[in-house]
């Protein structure tokens, strides 16, 4: 199975080129929950921090300013450590 791909601290120009400001927004307070991706998701964290642990994999920390892509079919646990706000796009 594919891994989480992360691009750290993307620029405002990159955000505009990807259309991130027009993507929907999702917000969530500090919490922990399981999640499975039915389709590939790309998200940009505009605030907060989360530790995502794929089933059978190593934890990955994603912070404000990071762009992350999650593969379809991945099951994981989300541990939000600081209130989260993200723009997201499903493929």
């Amino acid at each position: 199975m594919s891994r989480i791909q992360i691009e750290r601290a993307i620029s405002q120009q990159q955000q505009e080129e990807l259309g991130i400001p027009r993507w929907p927004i999702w917000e969530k307070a500090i919490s922990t929950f399981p999640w499975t991706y039915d389709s590939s998701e790309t998200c940009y964290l505009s605030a907060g921090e989360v530790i995502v642990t794929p089933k059978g994999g190593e934890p990955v920390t994603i912070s404000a300013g990071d762009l992350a892509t999650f593969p379809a079919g991945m099951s994981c646990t989300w541990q939000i450590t600081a209130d989260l706000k993200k723009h997201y796009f499903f493929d």
Side-chain angles (χ1 to χ4, degrees):
M1 181 178 296
S2 298
R3 298 169 44 141
I4 301 168
Q5 297 176 354
I6 300 174
E7 189 173 344
R8 305 282 181 193
I10 68 168
S11 70
Q12 186 67 38
Q13 180 179 344
Q14 288 172 297
Q15 292 175 48
E16 292 294 332
E17 289 170 359
L18 292 168
I20 290 171
R22 295 181 298 281
W23 294 358
I25 295 174
W26 183 77
E27 297 179 84
K28 183 84 170 159
I30 293 171
S31 57
T32 301
F33 57 91
W35 191 256
T36 298
Y37 289 89
D38 294 329
S39 58
S40 176
E41 178 188 345
T42 299
C43 68
Y44 171 76
L45 269 62
S46 57
E49 184 175 85
V50 61
I51 300 168
V52 180
T53 306
K55 185 175 181 179
E58 295 296 317
V60 176
T61 300
I62 306 166
S63 303
D66 293 345
L67 182 74
T69 302
F70 302 93
M74 186 182 83
S75 293
C76 58
T77 300
W78 275 56
Q79 180 184 357
I80 298 173
T81 56
D83 291 354
L84 195 70
K85 182 177 181 181
K86 71 173 185 168
H87 291 264
Y88 65 94
F89 177 81
F90 288 104
D91 289 335

Coordinates of all heavy atoms in Angstrom, one line a residue:
M1 N 0.8 -1.2 0.0 CA 0.0 0.0 0.0 C 0.9 1.2 0.0 O 1.9 1.3 0.6 CB -0.9 0.0 1.2 CG -1.8 1.2 1.3 SD -3.0 1.2 2.7 CE -3.9 -0.3 2.3
S2 N 0.4 2.3 -0.7 CA 1.2 3.5 -0.7 C 1.3 4.2 0.6 O 0.5 3.9 1.5 CB 0.5 4.5 -1.7 OG 0.5 4.0 -3.0
R3 N 2.2 5.1 0.8 CA 2.4 5.8 2.0 C 1.8 7.2 1.9 O 1.6 7.8 0.9 CB 3.9 5.9 2.3 CG 4.5 4.5 2.4 CD 6.0 4.6 2.5 NE 6.6 5.6 3.3 CZ 7.6 5.5 4.0 NH1 8.3 4.4 4.1 NH2 8.0 6.5 4.7
I4 N 1.8 7.9 3.1 CA 1.4 9.3 3.2 C 2.5 10.1 2.6 O 3.7 9.9 2.9 CB 1.1 9.7 4.6 CG1 0.1 8.9 5.3 CG2 0.8 11.2 4.7 CD1 0.0 9.0 6.8
Q5 N 2.1 11.0 1.7 CA 3.1 11.9 1.1 C 2.9 13.3 1.7 O 1.8 13.8 1.7 CB 2.9 12.0 -0.4 CG 3.2 10.7 -1.1 CD 2.9 10.7 -2.6 OE1 2.5 11.7 -3.2 NE2 3.2 9.6 -3.3
I6 N 4.0 13.9 2.1 CA 3.9 15.2 2.8 C 4.9 16.2 2.1 O 6.1 15.8 1.9 CB 4.3 15.1 4.3 CG1 3.3 14.2 5.0 CG2 4.2 16.5 4.9 CD1 3.6 13.9 6.4
E7 N 4.4 17.4 1.8 CA 5.3 18.5 1.4 C 5.2 19.5 2.4 O 4.1 20.0 2.7 CB 4.8 19.0 0.0 CG 5.7 20.0 -0.6 CD 5.3 20.4 -2.0 OE1 4.5 19.7 -2.6 OE2 5.9 21.4 -2.5
R8 N 6.3 19.9 3.0 CA 6.4 20.8 4.2 C 6.3 22.2 3.7 O 7.0 22.6 2.7 CB 7.6 20.5 5.0 CG 7.8 19.1 5.5 CD 6.9 18.8 6.7 NE 7.1 17.4 7.1 CZ 6.3 16.8 8.0 NH1 5.3 17.4 8.4 NH2 6.6 15.6 8.3
A9 N 5.6 23.0 4.5 CA 5.6 24.5 4.3 C 5.5 25.0 2.9 O 6.4 25.6 2.4 CB 6.9 25.1 5.0
I10 N 4.4 24.7 2.2 CA 4.2 25.1 0.8 C 3.9 26.6 0.8 O 3.4 27.2 1.7 CB 3.2 24.3 0.1 CG1 1.8 24.5 0.6 CG2 3.5 22.8 0.1 CD1 0.7 24.0 -0.3
S11 N 4.4 27.2 -0.3 CA 4.3 28.7 -0.4 C 2.8 29.1 -0.8 O 2.0 28.3 -1.3 CB 5.2 29.2 -1.5 OG 4.8 28.7 -2.8
Q12 N 2.6 30.4 -0.6 CA 1.3 30.9 -1.0 C 1.1 30.7 -2.5 O 0.0 30.4 -2.9 CB 1.3 32.4 -0.7 CG -0.1 33.1 -0.9 CD -1.2 32.5 0.0 OE1 -0.9 32.3 1.2 NE2 -2.4 32.4 -0.5
Q13 N 2.1 30.9 -3.3 CA 2.0 30.7 -4.7 C 1.6 29.2 -5.1 O 0.8 29.0 -5.9 CB 3.4 31.0 -5.4 CG 3.3 30.8 -6.9 CD 4.6 31.2 -7.6 OE1 5.4 31.8 -7.1 NE2 4.7 30.8 -8.9
Q14 N 2.2 28.3 -4.4 CA 1.9 26.9 -4.6 C 0.4 26.6 -4.2 O -0.3 25.9 -4.9 CB 2.8 25.9 -3.8 CG 4.2 25.8 -4.3 CD 5.0 25.0 -3.3 OE1 5.2 25.5 -2.2 NE2 5.5 23.9 -3.8
Q15 N 0.0 27.2 -3.1 CA -1.4 27.1 -2.7 C -2.4 27.6 -3.8 O -3.4 27.0 -4.1 CB -1.7 27.9 -1.4 CG -1.0 27.3 -0.2 CD -1.1 28.1 1.0 OE1 -2.3 28.5 1.3 NE2 0.0 28.4 1.7
E16 N -2.1 28.8 -4.3 CA -2.9 29.4 -5.4 C -2.9 28.5 -6.6 O -3.9 28.3 -7.2 CB -2.4 30.8 -5.8 CG -2.6 31.8 -4.6 CD -4.0 32.1 -4.3 OE1 -4.9 32.0 -5.2 OE2 -4.3 32.5 -3.2
E17 N -1.7 28.0 -7.0 CA -1.6 27.1 -8.2 C -2.5 25.8 -8.1 O -3.0 25.4 -9.1 CB -0.2 26.8 -8.5 CG 0.6 28.0 -9.0 CD 2.1 27.7 -9.1 OE1 2.6 26.6 -8.7 OE2 2.9 28.6 -9.5
L18 N -2.5 25.3 -6.9 CA -3.3 24.1 -6.6 C -4.8 24.3 -6.4 O -5.6 23.4 -6.4 CB -2.7 23.3 -5.4 CG -1.3 22.7 -5.6 CD1 -0.8 22.3 -4.2 CD2 -1.4 21.6 -6.5
G19 N -5.1 25.6 -6.2 CA -6.5 26.0 -6.0 C -7.0 25.7 -4.6 O -8.2 25.7 -4.3
I20 N -6.0 25.6 -3.6 CA -6.4 25.3 -2.2 C -7.4 26.2 -1.6 O -8.3 25.8 -0.9 CB -5.1 25.2 -1.4 CG1 -4.3 23.9 -1.8 CG2 -5.4 25.1 0.1 CD1 -2.9 23.8 -1.2
P21 N -7.3 27.5 -1.8 CA -8.3 28.4 -1.2 C -9.7 28.1 -1.6 O -10.7 28.5 -0.9 CB -7.9 29.8 -1.7 CG -6.4 29.7 -2.0 CD -6.3 28.3 -2.5
R22 N -9.9 27.4 -2.7 CA -11.3 27.1 -3.1 C -11.8 25.7 -2.7 O -12.9 25.3 -2.9 CB -11.4 27.2 -4.7 CG -11.2 28.6 -5.2 CD -11.3 28.7 -6.7 NE -10.3 28.0 -7.4 CZ -9.0 28.4 -7.6 NH1 -8.6 29.5 -7.1 NH2 -8.2 27.6 -8.3
W23 N -10.9 24.9 -2.0 CA -11.2 23.6 -1.5 C -12.1 23.8 -0.3 O -12.0 24.8 0.5 CB -10.0 22.8 -1.1 CG -9.1 22.4 -2.3 CD1 -9.3 22.7 -3.6 CD2 -7.9 21.7 -2.1 NE1 -8.2 22.2 -4.3 CE2 -7.3 21.6 -3.4 CE3 -7.1 21.2 -1.1 CZ2 -6.1 21.0 -3.7 CZ3 -5.9 20.6 -1.3 CH2 -5.4 20.5 -2.6
P24 N -13.0 22.8 0.0 CA -13.8 22.8 1.3 C -12.9 22.8 2.5 O -11.7 22.4 2.4 CB -14.6 21.5 1.2 CG -14.5 21.1 -0.2 CD -13.2 21.6 -0.8
I25 N -13.4 23.3 3.6 CA -12.7 23.4 4.9 C -13.3 22.4 5.9 O -14.6 22.3 6.0 CB -12.7 24.8 5.4 CG1 -11.9 25.7 4.5 CG2 -12.1 24.8 6.9 CD1 -12.0 27.2 4.9
W26 N -12.5 21.7 6.6 CA -12.9 20.8 7.7 C -12.1 21.2 9.0 O -10.9 21.5 8.9 CB -12.6 19.4 7.3 CG -13.0 18.3 8.3 CD1 -14.3 17.9 8.5 CD2 -12.2 17.6 9.2 NE1 -14.3 16.9 9.5 CE2 -13.0 16.7 9.9 CE3 -10.8 17.6 9.5 CZ2 -12.5 15.8 10.9 CZ3 -10.4 16.8 10.5 CH2 -11.2 15.9 11.1
E27 N -12.9 21.3 10.1 CA -12.2 21.7 11.4 C -12.6 20.6 12.4 O -13.7 20.1 12.4 CB -12.7 23.1 11.8 CG -12.4 24.2 10.9 CD -12.9 25.5 11.3 OE1 -12.2 26.2 12.2 OE2 -13.9 25.9 10.9
K28 N -11.6 20.4 13.3 CA -11.8 19.4 14.4 C -11.0 19.8 15.6 O -9.8 20.2 15.4 CB -11.4 18.0 13.8 CG -11.7 16.9 14.8 CD -13.1 16.4 14.7 CE -13.2 15.1 15.5 NZ -14.6 14.8 15.9
A29 N -11.6 19.6 16.8 CA -10.9 19.9 18.0 C -10.0 18.7 18.4 O -10.0 17.7 17.7 CB -11.9 20.1 19.1
I30 N -9.1 18.9 19.4 CA -8.2 17.9 19.8 C -9.0 16.6 20.1 O -10.0 16.6 20.8 CB -7.5 18.3 21.1 CG1 -6.5 19.5 20.7 CG2 -6.7 17.2 21.7 CD1 -5.9 20.2 21.9
S31 N -8.6 15.5 19.5 CA -9.3 14.2 19.6 C -8.5 13.1 18.9 O -7.5 13.4 18.3 CB -10.7 14.3 18.9 OG -10.6 14.7 17.6
T32 N -8.9 11.9 19.1 CA -8.3 10.7 18.5 C -9.4 9.9 17.9 O -10.4 9.6 18.6 CB -7.5 9.9 19.5 OG1 -6.5 10.8 20.1 CG2 -6.8 8.7 18.9
F33 N -9.2 9.4 16.7 CA -10.3 8.6 16.0 C -9.7 7.8 14.9 O -8.7 8.2 14.3 CB -11.4 9.5 15.5 CG -11.0 10.5 14.6 CD1 -11.0 10.3 13.2 CD2 -10.6 11.8 15.0 CE1 -10.6 11.3 12.3 CE2 -10.2 12.8 14.2 CZ -10.2 12.5 12.8
P34 N -10.3 6.6 14.6 CA -9.8 5.8 13.4 C -10.4 6.4 12.1 O -11.5 7.0 12.2 CB -10.4 4.4 13.7 CG -11.6 4.7 14.5 CD -11.3 6.0 15.3
W35 N -9.7 6.2 11.0 CA -10.2 6.6 9.7 C -9.7 5.7 8.6 O -8.6 5.2 8.7 CB -9.8 8.0 9.4 CG -10.5 8.7 8.3 CD1 -9.9 8.8 7.0 CD2 -11.8 9.1 8.2 NE1 -10.9 9.4 6.2 CE2 -12.0 9.6 6.9 CE3 -12.8 9.2 9.2 CZ2 -13.2 10.1 6.5 CZ3 -14.0 9.8 8.8 CH2 -14.2 10.2 7.5
T36 N -10.6 5.5 7.6 CA -10.2 4.7 6.4 C -10.5 5.6 5.2 O -11.7 6.1 5.1 CB -10.9 3.4 6.3 OG1 -10.6 2.6 7.5 CG2 -10.5 2.6 5.1
Y37 N -9.6 5.7 4.3 CA -9.8 6.5 3.1 C -10.4 5.6 2.0 O -9.8 4.7 1.5 CB -8.5 7.1 2.6 CG -8.0 8.2 3.5 CD1 -7.2 7.9 4.6 CD2 -8.4 9.5 3.3 CE1 -6.8 8.9 5.5 CE2 -8.0 10.5 4.2 CZ -7.2 10.2 5.3 OH -6.8 11.2 6.2
D38 N -11.6 6.0 1.5 CA -12.3 5.3 0.4 C -11.7 5.7 -0.9 O -11.7 5.0 -1.9 CB -13.8 5.6 0.4 CG -14.5 5.0 1.6 OD1 -14.0 4.0 2.1 OD2 -15.5 5.6 2.1
S39 N -11.2 7.0 -0.9 CA -10.5 7.5 -2.1 C -9.3 8.3 -1.7 O -9.2 8.7 -0.5 CB -11.5 8.4 -3.0 OG -12.0 9.4 -2.2
S40 N -8.5 8.7 -2.6 CA -7.3 9.5 -2.3 C -7.7 10.9 -1.8 O -8.6 11.5 -2.4 CB -6.4 9.5 -3.5 OG -5.3 10.4 -3.2
E41 N -7.1 11.4 -0.8 CA -7.3 12.7 -0.3 C -6.0 13.5 -0.2 O -5.0 13.0 0.3 CB -8.0 12.7 1.1 CG -8.2 14.2 1.6 CD -8.6 14.2 3.1 OE1 -9.0 13.2 3.7 OE2 -8.5 15.3 3.7
T42 N -6.1 14.8 -0.7 CA -5.0 15.7 -0.5 C -5.6 16.8 0.4 O -6.7 17.3 0.2 CB -4.6 16.3 -1.9 OG1 -4.1 15.3 -2.7 CG2 -3.4 17.3 -1.7
C43 N -4.8 17.2 1.4 CA -5.2 18.2 2.3 C -4.1 19.2 2.6 O -2.9 18.8 2.6 CB -5.9 17.7 3.6 SG -4.7 16.8 4.7
Y44 N -4.5 20.4 2.9 CA -3.5 21.4 3.4 C -4.0 21.9 4.7 O -5.1 22.3 4.9 CB -3.6 22.6 2.4 CG -2.8 23.8 2.9 CD1 -1.4 23.8 2.8 CD2 -3.4 24.9 3.4 CE1 -0.6 24.8 3.3 CE2 -2.6 26.0 3.9 CZ -1.3 25.9 3.9 OH -0.5 27.0 4.4
L45 N -3.1 21.8 5.7 CA -3.4 22.2 7.1 C -3.1 23.7 7.2 O -2.0 24.1 7.0 CB -2.6 21.5 8.1 CG -3.2 20.2 8.7 CD1 -3.4 19.2 7.6 CD2 -2.4 19.6 9.8
S46 N -4.1 24.5 7.5 CA -3.9 25.9 7.7 C -3.8 26.2 9.2 O -3.3 27.3 9.5 CB -5.1 26.7 7.1 OG -6.3 26.3 7.6
A47 N -4.1 25.3 10.0 CA -3.9 25.5 11.5 C -3.9 24.1 12.1 O -4.5 23.2 11.7 CB -5.1 26.3 12.1
G48 N -3.2 24.0 13.2 CA -3.2 22.8 14.1 C -2.1 21.8 13.7 O -1.1 22.1 13.0
E49 N -2.2 20.7 14.3 CA -1.3 19.6 14.2 C -2.0 18.3 14.4 O -2.8 18.2 15.3 CB -0.1 19.8 15.1 CG 1.0 18.7 14.9 CD 2.2 19.0 15.8 OE1 2.2 18.6 17.0 OE2 3.1 19.7 15.3
V50 N -1.5 17.2 13.7 CA -2.1 15.9 13.8 C -1.0 14.9 13.6 O -0.1 15.1 12.9 CB -3.2 15.6 12.8 CG1 -2.7 15.8 11.4 CG2 -3.9 14.3 13.0
I51 N -1.1 13.8 14.4 CA -0.2 12.6 14.2 C -1.1 11.5 13.6 O -2.1 11.1 14.2 CB 0.4 12.2 15.5 CG1 1.2 13.3 16.2 CG2 1.2 10.9 15.3 CD1 1.6 13.0 17.6
V52 N -0.7 11.1 12.4 CA -1.5 10.1 11.7 C -0.6 8.8 11.7 O 0.5 8.8 11.3 CB -1.8 10.5 10.2 CG1 -2.5 9.4 9.5 CG2 -2.5 11.8 10.2
T53 N -1.2 7.7 12.2 CA -0.5 6.5 12.3 C -1.2 5.5 11.4 O -2.3 5.0 11.7 CB -0.5 5.9 13.7 OG1 0.1 6.9 14.5 CG2 0.3 4.7 13.8
P54 N -0.6 5.1 10.2 CA -1.2 4.1 9.3 C -1.2 2.8 10.0 O -0.3 2.4 10.7 CB -0.3 4.1 8.1 CG 0.4 5.4 8.2 CD 0.6 5.7 9.6
K55 N -2.2 1.9 9.7 CA -2.2 0.6 10.3 C -1.0 -0.1 9.8 O -0.7 -0.2 8.6 CB -3.5 -0.1 9.8 CG -3.7 -1.5 10.4 CD -5.0 -2.1 9.9 CE -5.2 -3.5 10.5 NZ -6.4 -4.1 10.1
G56 N -0.2 -0.6 10.8 CA 1.0 -1.3 10.5 C 2.2 -0.4 10.0 O 3.2 -0.9 9.6
G57 N 2.0 0.9 10.2 CA 3.1 1.8 9.8 C 3.6 2.7 10.9 O 3.1 2.6 12.0
E58 N 4.4 3.6 10.5 CA 5.0 4.6 11.5 C 4.2 5.8 11.6 O 3.7 6.3 10.5 CB 6.4 4.9 11.1 CG 7.4 3.7 11.1 CD 7.6 3.2 12.6 OE1 7.7 4.0 13.5 OE2 7.6 2.0 12.7
P59 N 4.1 6.5 12.7 CA 3.4 7.7 12.9 C 4.0 8.8 12.1 O 5.2 8.9 11.9 CB 3.5 8.1 14.4 CG 4.0 6.8 15.0 CD 4.7 6.0 14.0
V60 N 3.2 9.7 11.5 CA 3.6 10.9 10.7 C 3.0 12.1 11.3 O 1.8 12.1 11.5 CB 3.2 10.7 9.2 CG1 3.6 11.9 8.4 CG2 3.9 9.5 8.6
T61 N 3.8 13.1 11.6 CA 3.2 14.4 12.1 C 3.0 15.4 11.0 O 3.9 15.6 10.2 CB 4.2 15.0 13.2 OG1 4.3 14.1 14.3 CG2 3.6 16.3 13.7
I62 N 1.8 15.9 10.9 CA 1.5 16.9 9.9 C 1.1 18.2 10.6 O 0.3 18.1 11.5 CB 0.3 16.4 9.0 CG1 0.7 15.0 8.4 CG2 0.0 17.4 7.9 CD1 -0.5 14.3 7.8
S63 N 1.7 19.3 10.2 CA 1.5 20.6 10.9 C 1.0 21.6 10.0 O 1.1 21.5 8.7 CB 2.8 21.0 11.5 OG 3.4 20.1 12.4
A64 N 0.5 22.7 10.6 CA 0.1 23.9 9.8 C 1.1 24.2 8.7 O 2.3 24.3 9.0 CB -0.2 25.1 10.7
G65 N 0.7 24.5 7.5 CA 1.6 24.8 6.4 C 2.0 23.6 5.5 O 2.5 23.8 4.5
D66 N 1.6 22.4 6.0 CA 2.0 21.2 5.3 C 0.8 20.7 4.3 O -0.4 20.9 4.6 CB 2.2 20.0 6.2 CG 3.5 20.2 7.1 OD1 4.3 21.1 6.7 OD2 3.6 19.5 8.0
L67 N 1.2 20.1 3.2 CA 0.3 19.5 2.2 C 0.5 18.0 2.3 O 1.6 17.6 2.2 CB 0.6 20.0 0.8 CG -0.3 19.5 -0.3 CD1 -1.7 20.2 -0.2 CD2 0.3 19.8 -1.6
A68 N -0.6 17.3 2.6 CA -0.4 15.8 2.7 C -1.4 15.1 1.8 O -2.5 15.6 1.5 CB -0.8 15.4 4.1
T69 N -1.0 14.0 1.2 CA -1.8 13.2 0.4 C -1.9 11.8 1.0 O -0.9 11.1 1.3 CB -1.2 13.1 -1.1 OG1 -1.2 14.4 -1.6 CG2 -2.1 12.2 -2.0
F70 N -3.1 11.3 1.2 CA -3.4 10.0 1.7 C -3.9 9.1 0.6 O -4.8 9.4 -0.1 CB -4.4 10.1 2.8 CG -4.0 11.0 3.9 CD1 -4.4 12.4 3.9 CD2 -3.3 10.6 5.0 CE1 -4.0 13.3 4.9 CE2 -2.9 11.5 6.0 CZ -3.3 12.8 6.0
P71 N -3.4 7.8 0.5 CA -3.8 6.9 -0.5 C -5.2 6.3 -0.3 O -5.5 6.0 0.9 CB -2.7 5.9 -0.6 CG -2.2 5.9 0.8 CD -2.3 7.3 1.3
A72 N -5.9 6.0 -1.3 CA -7.2 5.3 -1.2 C -6.9 3.9 -0.5 O -5.9 3.3 -0.8 CB -7.8 5.1 -2.5
G73 N -7.8 3.5 0.4 CA -7.7 2.2 1.0 C -6.9 2.2 2.3 O -6.8 1.2 3.0
M74 N -6.2 3.3 2.6 CA -5.4 3.4 3.8 C -6.3 3.5 5.1 O -7.2 4.3 5.1 CB -4.4 4.5 3.8 CG -3.5 4.5 5.0 SD -2.3 5.9 5.0 CE -3.4 7.1 5.8
S75 N -6.0 2.6 6.1 CA -6.7 2.8 7.4 C -5.6 3.3 8.3 O -4.5 2.9 8.3 CB -7.2 1.4 7.9 OG -8.2 0.9 7.1
C76 N -6.1 4.2 9.2 CA -5.1 4.9 10.1 C -5.9 5.4 11.4 O -7.1 5.3 11.5 CB -4.5 6.1 9.4 SG -5.6 7.3 8.8
T77 N -5.1 5.9 12.3 CA -5.6 6.6 13.4 C -5.1 8.1 13.4 O -3.9 8.3 13.2 CB -5.1 6.0 14.8 OG1 -5.6 4.6 14.8 CG2 -5.6 6.7 16.0
W78 N -6.1 9.0 13.6 CA -5.8 10.4 13.6 C -5.7 10.8 15.1 O -6.7 10.5 15.8 CB -6.8 11.2 12.9 CG -6.6 11.4 11.5 CD1 -6.4 10.4 10.5 CD2 -6.5 12.6 10.7 NE1 -6.3 10.9 9.3 CE2 -6.3 12.2 9.4 CE3 -6.6 13.9 11.1 CZ2 -6.2 13.2 8.4 CZ3 -6.5 14.9 10.1 CH2 -6.3 14.5 8.8
Q79 N -4.6 11.4 15.5 CA -4.5 12.0 16.9 C -4.3 13.5 16.7 O -3.1 13.9 16.4 CB -3.4 11.3 17.6 CG -3.2 11.9 19.0 CD -2.0 11.3 19.8 OE1 -1.3 10.4 19.2 NE2 -1.8 11.8 21.0
I80 N -5.3 14.2 16.8 CA -5.2 15.7 16.7 C -4.7 16.3 18.0 O -5.3 16.1 19.0 CB -6.6 16.3 16.3 CG1 -7.0 15.8 14.9 CG2 -6.5 17.9 16.2 CD1 -8.4 16.2 14.5
T81 N -3.5 16.9 17.9 CA -2.8 17.4 19.1 C -3.0 18.9 19.3 O -2.7 19.4 20.4 CB -1.3 17.1 19.1 OG1 -0.8 17.6 17.9 CG2 -1.1 15.5 19.1
A82 N -3.5 19.6 18.3 CA -3.8 21.0 18.3 C -5.0 21.2 17.4 O -5.0 20.7 16.3 CB -2.6 21.9 17.9
D83 N -6.0 22.0 17.8 CA -7.2 22.2 17.0 C -6.9 22.4 15.5 O -6.0 23.2 15.2 CB -8.0 23.4 17.5 CG -8.6 23.1 18.9 OD1 -8.6 22.0 19.4 OD2 -9.2 24.0 19.4
L84 N -7.6 21.6 14.7 CA -7.2 21.5 13.3 C -8.1 22.2 12.4 O -9.4 22.2 12.6 CB -7.2 20.0 12.9 CG -6.6 19.5 11.7 CD1 -5.0 19.6 11.8 CD2 -6.9 18.1 11.4
K85 N -7.6 22.8 11.3 CA -8.3 23.4 10.2 C -7.6 23.0 9.0 O -6.4 23.3 8.8 CB -8.4 24.9 10.4 CG -9.2 25.6 9.3 CD -9.4 27.1 9.5 CE -10.2 27.7 8.5 NZ -10.3 29.2 8.7
K86 N -8.3 22.4 8.0 CA -7.7 21.9 6.8 C -8.6 22.2 5.6 O -9.8 22.1 5.7 CB -7.3 20.5 6.9 CG -8.5 19.5 6.8 CD -8.0 18.0 6.7 CE -9.2 17.1 6.6 NZ -8.8 15.8 6.2
H87 N -8.0 22.4 4.5 CA -8.6 22.4 3.2 C -8.4 21.0 2.6 O -7.3 20.4 2.8 CB -8.0 23.4 2.3 CG -8.3 24.8 2.6 ND1 -9.3 25.6 2.1 CD2 -7.7 25.7 3.5 CE1 -9.3 26.8 2.6 NE2 -8.3 26.9 3.5
Y88 N -9.4 20.4 2.0 CA -9.2 19.1 1.5 C -9.8 18.9 0.1 O -10.7 19.7 -0.3 CB -9.9 18.1 2.4 CG -11.4 18.2 2.6 CD1 -12.2 17.5 1.8 CD2 -11.9 19.1 3.4 CE1 -13.6 17.6 1.9 CE2 -13.3 19.3 3.5 CZ -14.1 18.5 2.7 OH -15.5 18.7 2.8
F89 N -9.3 17.9 -0.6 CA -9.8 17.5 -2.0 C -9.7 16.0 -2.2 O -8.6 15.4 -1.9 CB -8.8 18.2 -3.0 CG -9.2 17.9 -4.4 CD1 -10.2 18.6 -5.1 CD2 -8.4 17.0 -5.1 CE1 -10.5 18.3 -6.4 CE2 -8.7 16.7 -6.4 CZ -9.8 17.3 -7.1
F90 N -10.8 15.4 -2.6 CA -10.8 14.0 -2.8 C -10.6 13.7 -4.3 O -11.3 14.3 -5.1 CB -12.1 13.3 -2.3 CG -12.2 13.2 -0.8 CD1 -13.0 14.1 -0.1 CD2 -11.5 12.3 -0.2 CE1 -13.1 14.0 1.2 CE2 -11.6 12.2 1.2 CZ -12.4 13.1 1.9
D91 N -9.8 12.8 -4.7 CA -9.6 12.4 -6.1 C -10.6 11.3 -6.4 O -10.9 10.5 -5.6 CB -8.2 11.8 -6.3 CG -7.2 12.9 -6.3 OD1 -7.5 14.1 -6.5 OD2 -6.0 12.6 -6.0

